[in-house]
Amino acid sequence: MIDDEKIIELFFERSEQAIRELDAKYGKVCHKLSYNILSSRQDAEECVNDAYLGVWNAIPPAKPDPLLTYLCKIVRNISLNAYYRKDAAKRSSRCTAAMEEIEDRIASPNTVEAEIEAKELSRIIEVFLDTLSAENRVIFMRRYWFADSYTDIAVFVGLSEKNVSVRLSRIRRKLRQYLIEREVLI
Amino acid sequence: MNARQFTEAMSELDDRYVTEALSYECPHTSKASSKKLVILIAAIVAVLALCGFTAHELGLFDRWFQKPSADPTQTVQSAIEGQADKVYTICVRIDEIKVDEDETARVVKMYAGSELAGSRGWTDDYLSEHFVVVLAKYYVEYDHTKTFLDDGCMEQYFYLTQDARSGKWTIVDNTSPSTRVSP
């Protein structure tokens, strides 16, 4: 498997081989991420292909490093857009489950967050993430960014599913407290 | 705040959090794998030990529960009597045990200078003085739910060598028992 620099060179050369190499190297990760959000192989396939097209259009001039992070962000954004385009009744995926469990903690009738921009909220979340251990941060990201199942996370971090569940529960509680302290939630 | 706002905020996170979650190398994996490996090895050892114990109980390691003796016929007698201790033996009765001089001479001649004798460290001199063949005639009954061995009146040759220091004879080989006409 060729390295990222070579793949980016192929994009710069406008070689279609770039897409093939990108898919060979990162296709599995992208499909999983998209499938976690959409819970449909066909929809995930379409989103990943759209993401490849997005990368094709962006490189050049972009020269992303690391390439996988860049690709995953595109896949996630496209997949989330597709997810929100679906009727609410048809949304049923790991992403839905992850959203529901986080909503239990962050939903509040008295909030000031309506005025908070997504970017501002993300900066607050970043500061919160920095308070976590690397392991807990990865668990949190795998659940709420990648929409991984508890089982997948357990395998990924080498912990039991129960342990992952307990840790996520504590992190959500801690996040709620953090958001209250920052007056995001009242 | 709702989940969608949270998800959108997550989309705005710095790349380093995504990269970290993508490239995280689990510190538990090796420990967990090692633990699983240790458990697997322990399980295999336990199974082997159980098999070994069972095999020992069934007398599969030492076909003959022999007691080396200065008299080769006594050694053979102890071995045949030892069959009675095996779980698949119902009864054993010894009819006759004797050193078979003719068979001894024949086997010594066969072994002399052979590769097999060489591999066992048996010189021609050693064979001529420390090797005998004992013929045993006995009656045995086995529990055929536990063994496939034939029972009845048996005739069997035992090959014994003598330890030069202790003078005791030990069975080193034997022919398959052949059924004989009951006396």
Side-chain angles (χ1 to χ4, degrees):
Chain A
M1 219 166 280
I2 68 174
D3 58 32
D4 289 1
E5 280 184 17
K6 181 66 187 165
I7 293 174
I8 289 171
E9 272 178 31
L10 290 170
F11 274 109
F12 271 78
E13 290 164 10
R14 308 315 287 161
S15 165
E16 288 181 10
Q17 183 64 21
I19 301 286
R20 283 191 285 276
E21 294 294 346
L22 191 69
D23 186 52
K25 192 167 184 182
Y26 298 128
K28 206 173 165 184
V29 178
C30 294
H31 280 87
K32 185 175 185 303
L33 171 58
S34 186
Y35 180 80
N36 282 353
I37 294 168
L38 295 164
S39 204
S40 158
R41 300 271 171 221
Q42 194 182 342
D43 292 350
E45 180 77 28
E46 284 174 19
C47 286
V48 171
N49 285 337
D50 287 351
Y52 291 161
L53 182 63
V55 174
W56 176 263
N57 291 331
I59 308 173
K63 206 170 183 180
D65 181 25
L67 179 59
L68 179 58
T69 302
Y70 182 78
L71 178 60
C72 282
K73 288 185 83 169
I74 295 176
V75 169
R76 185 174 186 270
N77 287 339
I78 292 174
S79 302
L80 279 174
N81 286 338
Y83 176 83
Y84 288 123
R85 278 200 303 273
K86 277 187 178 181
D87 291 338
K90 290 181 184 173
R91 291 176 197 156
S92 175
S93 67
R94 286 173 184 169
C95 183
T96 310
M99 282 181 176
E100 283 171 358
E101 67 191 28
I102 198 77
E103 199 160 46
D104 281 349
R105 285 289 170 189
I106 60 174
S108 168
N110 302 313
T111 62
V112 294
E113 90 289 336
E115 290 75 34
I116 292 180
E117 295 285 332
K119 271 191 187 292
E120 192 181 342
L121 183 57
S122 74
R123 295 295 85 83
I124 293 169
I125 295 172
E126 281 177 3
V127 177
F128 169 74
L129 288 176
D130 289 338
T131 68
L132 302 178
S133 66
E135 193 170 58
N136 282 348
R137 195 162 52 237
V138 168
I139 290 172
F140 184 87
M141 289 295 290
R142 295 301 316 187
R143 182 62 178 163
Y144 301 113
W145 202 93
F146 292 88
D148 276 353
S149 67
Y150 284 18
T151 310
D152 288 344
I153 299 169
V155 171
F156 189 76
V157 296
L159 295 171
S160 70
E161 209 174 318
K162 176 77 180 165
N163 200 330
V164 168
S165 168
V166 170
R167 284 191 189 211
L168 279 170
S169 176
R170 286 177 185 159
I171 295 168
R172 286 195 301 270
R173 196 163 57 232
K174 200 174 165 186
L175 174 64
R176 177 179 173 75
Q177 190 57 37
Y178 187 84
L179 293 175
I180 288 171
E181 284 169 11
R182 298 294 175 283
E183 297 181 342
V184 176
L185 297 178
I186 300 171
Chain B
M1 189 193 302
N2 60 32
R4 183 166 182 167
Q5 286 168 309
F6 174 79
T7 305
E8 283 170 3
M10 289 293 287
S11 302
E12 297 289 333
L13 289 181
D14 191 275
D15 287 2
R16 67 189 158 100
Y17 299 104
V18 181
T19 305
E20 180 185 46
L22 280 167
S23 59
Y24 182 74
E25 284 187 17
C26 152
H28 298 282
T29 306
S30 58
K31 200 194 286 180
S33 300
S34 305
K35 196 176 173 185
K36 281 180 187 169
L37 190 64
V38 167
I39 291 169
L40 182 66
I41 291 170
I44 291 170
V45 169
V47 168
L48 289 176
L50 188 64
C51 290
F53 177 75
T54 308
H56 180 263
E57 285 298 297
L58 292 172
L60 298 179
F61 288 145
D62 179 16
R63 283 198 61 201
W64 302 102
F65 292 154
Q66 58 178 311
K67 291 174 187 164
S69 164
D71 179 350
T73 59
Q74 287 294 313
T75 301
V76 172
Q77 184 170 334
S78 73
I80 295 172
E81 286 171 350
Q83 292 299 292
D85 295 332
K86 292 189 175 178
V87 292
Y88 52 75
T89 305
I90 296 171
C91 72
V92 177
R93 186 193 70 233
I94 297 170
D95 296 329
E96 183 186 2
I97 299 179
K98 64 173 185 181
V99 173
D100 190 322
E101 299 293 351
D102 292 343
E103 187 64 8
T104 300
R106 188 186 73 79
V107 176
V108 166
K109 191 178 173 186
M110 184 181 74
Y111 273 143
S114 70
E115 280 186 18
L116 179 63
S119 68
R120 291 182 176 182
W122 297 342
T123 61
D124 291 356
D125 287 343
Y126 177 86
L127 283 169
S128 64
E129 292 188 19
H130 303 289
F131 183 91
V132 292
V133 177
V134 171
L135 171 64
K137 294 177 182 178
Y138 58 97
Y139 173 81
V140 65
E141 271 183 45
Y142 294 121
D143 179 348
H144 292 289
T145 63
K146 295 176 181 170
T147 183
F148 54 85
L149 292 172
D150 291 330
D151 50 16
C153 292
M154 297 294 171
E155 199 171 272
Q156 189 169 14
Y157 288 103
F158 293 86
Y159 301 167
L160 297 91
T161 55
Q162 187 181 33
D163 184 280
R165 286 184 186 171
S166 66
K168 291 184 176 179
W169 292 87
T170 304
I171 299 169
V172 292
D173 209 348
N174 58 266
T175 60
S176 297
S178 56
T179 51
R180 63 188 169 90
V181 179
S182 180

